[in-house]
mmCIF file of all heavy atoms in Angstrom:
data_model
loop_
_atom_site.group_PDB
_atom_site.id
_atom_site.type_symbol
_atom_site.label_atom_id
_atom_site.label_comp_id
_atom_site.label_asym_id
_atom_site.label_seq_id
_atom_site.Cartn_x
_atom_site.Cartn_y
_atom_site.Cartn_z
ATOM 1 N N TYR A 84 11.496 58.108 1.414
ATOM 2 C CA TYR A 84 11.752 57.593 0.078
ATOM 3 C C TYR A 84 11.549 58.703 -0.944
ATOM 4 O O TYR A 84 10.529 59.376 -0.940
ATOM 5 C CB TYR A 84 10.829 56.420 -0.229
ATOM 6 C CG TYR A 84 11.057 55.856 -1.607
ATOM 7 C CD1 TYR A 84 12.164 55.071 -1.881
ATOM 8 C CD2 TYR A 84 10.176 56.141 -2.639
ATOM 9 C CE1 TYR A 84 12.389 54.575 -3.149
ATOM 10 C CE2 TYR A 84 10.390 55.648 -3.909
ATOM 11 C CZ TYR A 84 11.499 54.859 -4.158
ATOM 12 O OH TYR A 84 11.715 54.376 -5.413
ATOM 13 N N THR A 85 12.554 58.896 -1.777
ATOM 14 C CA THR A 85 12.474 59.958 -2.776
ATOM 15 C C THR A 85 13.005 59.455 -4.097
ATOM 16 O O THR A 85 13.408 58.305 -4.240
ATOM 17 C CB THR A 85 13.312 61.173 -2.344
ATOM 18 O OG1 THR A 85 14.679 60.785 -2.304
ATOM 19 C CG2 THR A 85 12.900 61.692 -0.977
ATOM 20 N N SER A 86 13.022 60.344 -5.088
ATOM 21 C CA SER A 86 13.550 60.006 -6.409
ATOM 22 C C SER A 86 14.791 60.838 -6.686
ATOM 23 O O SER A 86 15.123 61.776 -5.964
ATOM 24 C CB SER A 86 12.497 60.287 -7.475
ATOM 25 O OG SER A 86 12.268 61.678 -7.565
ATOM 26 N N LYS A 87 15.465 60.521 -7.767
ATOM 27 C CA LYS A 87 16.634 61.303 -8.157
ATOM 28 C C LYS A 87 16.234 62.728 -8.522
ATOM 29 O O LYS A 87 17.012 63.656 -8.320
ATOM 30 C CB LYS A 87 17.342 60.614 -9.324
ATOM 31 C CG LYS A 87 18.011 59.308 -8.923
ATOM 32 C CD LYS A 87 18.692 58.636 -10.113
ATOM 33 C CE LYS A 87 19.351 57.327 -9.667
ATOM 34 N NZ LYS A 87 19.998 56.607 -10.805
ATOM 35 N N ASP A 88 15.037 62.899 -9.059
ATOM 36 C CA ASP A 88 14.548 64.248 -9.347
ATOM 37 C C ASP A 88 14.423 65.057 -8.058
ATOM 38 O O ASP A 88 14.694 66.259 -8.033
ATOM 39 C CB ASP A 88 13.197 64.187 -10.067
ATOM 40 C CG ASP A 88 13.332 63.740 -11.515
ATOM 41 O OD1 ASP A 88 14.442 63.852 -12.069
ATOM 42 O OD2 ASP A 88 12.322 63.283 -12.091
ATOM 43 N N TRP A 89 13.976 64.378 -6.997
ATOM 44 C CA TRP A 89 13.850 65.057 -5.699
ATOM 45 C C TRP A 89 15.209 65.551 -5.232
ATOM 46 O O TRP A 89 15.383 66.687 -4.794
ATOM 47 C CB TRP A 89 13.245 64.085 -4.686
ATOM 48 C CG TRP A 89 12.700 64.703 -3.430
ATOM 49 C CD1 TRP A 89 11.437 65.136 -3.205
ATOM 50 C CD2 TRP A 89 13.419 64.930 -2.213
ATOM 51 N NE1 TRP A 89 11.319 65.628 -1.928
ATOM 52 C CE2 TRP A 89 12.520 65.514 -1.299
ATOM 53 C CE3 TRP A 89 14.735 64.705 -1.808
ATOM 54 C CZ2 TRP A 89 12.886 65.861 -0.007
ATOM 55 C CZ3 TRP A 89 15.113 65.059 -0.517
ATOM 56 C CH2 TRP A 89 14.195 65.626 0.364
ATOM 57 N N ILE A 90 16.225 64.680 -5.334
ATOM 58 C CA ILE A 90 17.572 65.036 -4.903
ATOM 59 C C ILE A 90 18.142 66.161 -5.766
ATOM 60 O O ILE A 90 18.793 67.084 -5.276
ATOM 61 C CB ILE A 90 18.485 63.792 -4.939
ATOM 62 C CG1 ILE A 90 17.979 62.750 -3.937
ATOM 63 C CG2 ILE A 90 19.934 64.163 -4.643
ATOM 64 C CD1 ILE A 90 18.687 61.423 -4.024
ATOM 65 N N LYS A 91 17.869 66.105 -7.069
ATOM 66 C CA LYS A 91 18.318 67.162 -7.976
ATOM 67 C C LYS A 91 17.706 68.504 -7.571
ATOM 68 O O LYS A 91 18.383 69.547 -7.594
ATOM 69 C CB LYS A 91 17.927 66.807 -9.405
ATOM 70 C CG LYS A 91 18.265 67.878 -10.437
ATOM 71 C CD LYS A 91 17.753 67.485 -11.810
ATOM 72 C CE LYS A 91 18.000 68.598 -12.823
ATOM 73 N NZ LYS A 91 17.437 68.249 -14.166
ATOM 74 N N THR A 92 16.429 68.472 -7.187
ATOM 75 C CA THR A 92 15.753 69.702 -6.779
ATOM 76 C C THR A 92 16.347 70.247 -5.484
ATOM 77 O O THR A 92 16.497 71.461 -5.311
ATOM 78 C CB THR A 92 14.246 69.439 -6.604
ATOM 79 O OG1 THR A 92 13.713 68.885 -7.808
ATOM 80 C CG2 THR A 92 13.497 70.728 -6.288
ATOM 81 N N VAL A 93 16.714 69.345 -4.563
ATOM 82 C CA VAL A 93 17.369 69.776 -3.324
ATOM 83 C C VAL A 93 18.673 70.501 -3.642
ATOM 84 O O VAL A 93 18.986 71.560 -3.072
ATOM 85 C CB VAL A 93 17.617 68.568 -2.397
ATOM 86 C CG1 VAL A 93 18.490 68.984 -1.215
ATOM 87 C CG2 VAL A 93 16.294 68.005 -1.895
ATOM 88 N N HIS A 94 19.466 69.943 -4.555
ATOM 89 C CA HIS A 94 20.715 70.593 -4.982
ATOM 90 C C HIS A 94 20.435 72.000 -5.514
ATOM 91 O O HIS A 94 21.149 72.964 -5.185
ATOM 92 C CB HIS A 94 21.374 69.764 -6.090
ATOM 93 C CG HIS A 94 22.276 68.690 -5.596
ATOM 94 N ND1 HIS A 94 23.428 68.932 -4.892
ATOM 95 C CD2 HIS A 94 22.187 67.333 -5.716
ATOM 96 C CE1 HIS A 94 24.017 67.796 -4.603
ATOM 97 N NE2 HIS A 94 23.292 66.802 -5.087
ATOM 98 N N TYR A 95 19.393 72.112 -6.347
ATOM 99 C CA TYR A 95 19.061 73.394 -6.974
ATOM 100 C C TYR A 95 18.730 74.439 -5.914
ATOM 101 O O TYR A 95 19.262 75.560 -5.924
ATOM 102 C CB TYR A 95 17.891 73.205 -7.928
ATOM 103 C CG TYR A 95 17.370 74.481 -8.539
ATOM 104 C CD1 TYR A 95 18.021 75.094 -9.595
ATOM 105 C CD2 TYR A 95 16.212 75.083 -8.040
ATOM 106 C CE1 TYR A 95 17.553 76.275 -10.160
ATOM 107 C CE2 TYR A 95 15.725 76.258 -8.589
ATOM 108 C CZ TYR A 95 16.400 76.849 -9.650
ATOM 109 O OH TYR A 95 15.928 78.011 -10.199
ATOM 110 N N TYR A 96 17.848 74.086 -4.978
ATOM 111 C CA TYR A 96 17.447 75.052 -3.954
ATOM 112 C C TYR A 96 18.592 75.370 -2.995
ATOM 113 O O TYR A 96 18.682 76.492 -2.477
ATOM 114 C CB TYR A 96 16.229 74.537 -3.196
ATOM 115 C CG TYR A 96 14.954 74.653 -3.988
ATOM 116 C CD1 TYR A 96 14.078 73.572 -4.112
ATOM 117 C CD2 TYR A 96 14.622 75.833 -4.644
ATOM 118 C CE1 TYR A 96 12.911 73.680 -4.848
ATOM 119 C CE2 TYR A 96 13.460 75.945 -5.381
ATOM 120 C CZ TYR A 96 12.606 74.860 -5.483
ATOM 121 O OH TYR A 96 11.465 74.971 -6.225
ATOM 122 N N SER A 97 19.465 74.409 -2.753
ATOM 123 C CA SER A 97 20.620 74.685 -1.899
ATOM 124 C C SER A 97 21.481 75.785 -2.506
ATOM 125 O O SER A 97 21.947 76.693 -1.795
ATOM 126 C CB SER A 97 21.461 73.416 -1.715
ATOM 127 O OG SER A 97 20.746 72.441 -0.990
ATOM 128 N N SER A 98 21.696 75.720 -3.813
ATOM 129 C CA SER A 98 22.475 76.753 -4.497
ATOM 130 C C SER A 98 21.782 78.114 -4.406
ATOM 131 O O SER A 98 22.424 79.137 -4.154
ATOM 132 C CB SER A 98 22.679 76.364 -5.961
ATOM 133 O OG SER A 98 23.343 77.376 -6.675
ATOM 134 N N VAL A 99 20.446 78.122 -4.596
ATOM 135 C CA VAL A 99 19.673 79.366 -4.500
ATOM 136 C C VAL A 99 19.802 79.975 -3.105
ATOM 137 O O VAL A 99 20.063 81.179 -2.944
ATOM 138 C CB VAL A 99 18.186 79.095 -4.827
ATOM 139 C CG1 VAL A 99 17.324 80.304 -4.448
ATOM 140 C CG2 VAL A 99 18.016 78.770 -6.307
ATOM 141 N N PHE A 100 19.658 79.140 -2.065
ATOM 142 C CA PHE A 100 19.673 79.649 -0.693
ATOM 143 C C PHE A 100 21.073 80.122 -0.274
ATOM 144 O O PHE A 100 21.204 81.088 0.479
ATOM 145 C CB PHE A 100 19.161 78.581 0.273
ATOM 146 C CG PHE A 100 17.711 78.240 0.075
ATOM 147 C CD1 PHE A 100 17.254 76.934 0.175
ATOM 148 C CD2 PHE A 100 16.788 79.235 -0.231
ATOM 149 C CE1 PHE A 100 15.911 76.613 -0.010
ATOM 150 C CE2 PHE A 100 15.441 78.927 -0.425
ATOM 151 C CZ PHE A 100 15.011 77.615 -0.309
ATOM 152 N N GLN A 101 22.115 79.452 -0.764
ATOM 153 C CA GLN A 101 23.461 79.901 -0.431
ATOM 154 C C GLN A 101 23.746 81.281 -1.025
ATOM 155 O O GLN A 101 24.420 82.106 -0.411
ATOM 156 C CB GLN A 101 24.480 78.879 -0.938
ATOM 157 C CG GLN A 101 24.481 77.593 -0.103
ATOM 158 C CD GLN A 101 25.472 76.575 -0.610
ATOM 159 O OE1 GLN A 101 26.665 76.673 -0.333
ATOM 160 N NE2 GLN A 101 24.996 75.608 -1.359
ATOM 161 N N ASP A 102 23.210 81.545 -2.227
ATOM 162 C CA ASP A 102 23.341 82.885 -2.814
ATOM 163 C C ASP A 102 22.640 83.925 -1.942
ATOM 164 O O ASP A 102 23.150 85.032 -1.737
ATOM 165 C CB ASP A 102 22.755 82.909 -4.226
ATOM 166 C CG ASP A 102 23.622 82.182 -5.237
ATOM 167 O OD1 ASP A 102 24.801 81.916 -4.932
ATOM 168 O OD2 ASP A 102 23.111 81.850 -6.329
#
Side-chain angles (χ1 to χ4, degrees):
Y84 180 75
T85 65
S86 67
K87 291 179 180 178
D88 287 339
W89 196 91
I90 296 172
K91 176 184 176 183
T92 305
V93 171
H94 273 296
Y95 174 79
Y96 285 131
S97 294
S98 176
V99 168
F100 294 141
Q101 287 179 80
D102 287 344

